[in-house]
Each structure stands twice: as structure tokens, then as C-alpha cells.
Amino acid sequence: MQAIGIFGGTFDPVHTGHLALARRVRDTFALDSLMIVPAPQPPHKRRPGASFAQRAAMIELALAACPDCSRIVCSRIEENLPAPSYTIHTVETIMQHCGGQRFFLIIGMDSLADLPNWYRATELLDLVDLIVVNRDQARQAEIELFVSRLPSDYQPLPDHDHHDHVWRTDSGRMLHVLLDFHMPYSSTAIREALRRGEDPAALPLPEAVAAYINTHGLYSGSS
């Protein structure tokens, strides 16, 4: 059985922090592979500034040029799924293609807080382990509150040997909180900088992504 990470999001655009996080999760949790899964139209979010094809192409270019991104791939699996891009649909489709593996869903602390409101959240938590990235440096009491509100009954494992906080359900599903990863920038801030006319090469973007944005005139004030 292989351990497969699922890292979904808009990636509008993908930036160096996304790649650093993917590498960190891959290595910390000894994943056999990690799939970066761009969403055509995420629920409850604005329409992306770049098309699905453009965002997927930027991820693929970034990974191809990254010397330390082995076992990390871009998956276009959501391209033909019904909109909006509900995570449960993505996971079920991946499992149909890659049955018999253990899947780790990678989310941020903001998503953990909102997860009880997700479509078919209970079913989703029965299918995957969670890796929650504390990129906004939430406090321990806040994390515990978010976990307690989940529709599955997670119990803490205080003596776990990872350098993170770990919970487990009676069915064996795990929830890991990666405590010490900080992402100092966001796709939103990068888009705003590009709209102001800043040079993509001066922003925290992989070189191939900066070149792609320049070539296609993405995120400019007139685009």
C-alpha cells in the first residue's frame, strides 16, 4: 500500500511556498507520491484570475524545473468533474483510479476550521487522513477547538513520534498538524503585486512560472 498526498487548491498562481510545502509534507510523512490538484472552480471562492489550463500548465512547468520535486506531480483530475470542485468528488475519483492506497489530504488551518461545513464532510473524513498545515500559527487551544468540532471523533496521541500534533479516530484515521511551516506570502498578494505592474521575476514565483505569466500577460491590470 502506497501513501499518496492530495494537495488541492486554486494555485492562482502556484508560487515557491506551494512547492516548499509539497516537498516538506512529502518528506516529513514519507509519502510515495504527492498530487497537486488545481480546482477549476472551488466552492465559495471567486473565479480564478487564470484559466484552469493556464494554472495547471504553470504547476507542471514549476515541477519540471524543480530539482527536488521528485514524486510530486500535477493532476488535472478535476478538469472533467462537475463544478464546483467538491473535495469528496476529487477523492472518490482518485480512489477509483488508485484503489487500495492510503490517502493524505493536505489542508490549511483555515480549511480545518471550515471543514464541518464542507459537502459530505463525514464521508470525506472516513476516506482520508488529514495533514493540516499551521501556516497562520494558530494557537494550541484554537487547534484543539477546530478538531473537536469535526464530525469524526478524533482523540489526541500525545506520545506520537512525529514533530507535530496527532489525533486518531477509532477507525484508524489520523489527523496530523504540521506546526512549524510558515508561508509568508500568498497567491492573492502575488496577484495584487502583478496588477500593480511589479515584475513577476521579482516575486516569489518559480522562474518558469514568472516567464509564463509574462508571456501570457496574466494578472495585469488590463487582463
Side-chain angles (χ1 to χ4, degrees), residues 49-51 54-55 58 194 212-220 223:
S51 71
Q54 289 170 330
R55 289 180 286 120
M58 286 188 280
L194 291 168
Y212 187 95
I213 289 171
N214 257 334
T215 299
H216 294 271
L218 299 179
Y219 310 114
S220 66
S223 63

Side-chain angles (χ1 to χ4, degrees), residues 27 40 76 140 152 175:
D27 296 342
R76 297 189 180 220
Q140 178 63 22
S152 296
L175 186 157

